[in-house]
Amino acid sequence: TKAVVEILVVVDYALYDEALAESDNDKEEATRILRNYYRKVISLVDLRYSQMKAPDLKIRVTMAGIFIAEVHT
């Protein structure tokens, strides 16, 4: 059995604000930082599932997308 788990990552404003501070208020750079970080996280989750020792079950984990809250509400 093969299964694909697609994860939509939702980043709240507080994390976006931290990324903005880290990138000297460069919105494109802050977005890049967050995308790269969560791409790595999902990749590590996928790696963990790919190493499961269940011969009849294969699970892949992918990032379906990312939503970044750029406005504080």
Side-chain angles (χ1 to χ4, degrees):
T1 304
K2 292 183 181 181
V4 177
V5 178
E6 294 181 304
I7 297 177
L8 174 62
V9 176
V10 178
V11 180
D12 71 353
Y13 180 78
L15 291 173
Y16 176 66
D17 195 41
E18 285 181 28
L20 269 177
E22 186 178 319
S23 66
D24 295 325
N25 287 324
D26 182 337
K27 290 182 178 184
E28 288 182 24
E29 178 66 11
T31 300
R32 189 189 65 73
I33 289 168
L34 291 168
R35 285 183 188 279
N36 286 340
Y37 175 77
Y38 285 103
R39 191 175 297 124
K40 289 176 187 175
V41 168
I42 297 300
S43 178
L44 289 171
V45 171
D46 180 52
L47 178 64
R48 183 66 151 166
Y49 276 94
S50 72
Q51 294 176 343
M52 285 179 37
K53 297 191 189 302
D56 58 337
L57 179 62
K58 302 280 186 221
I59 298 174
R60 297 298 318 259
V61 179
T62 64
M63 188 166 79
I66 186 167
F67 173 80
I68 302 170
E70 297 179 0
V71 178
H72 181 58
T73 57

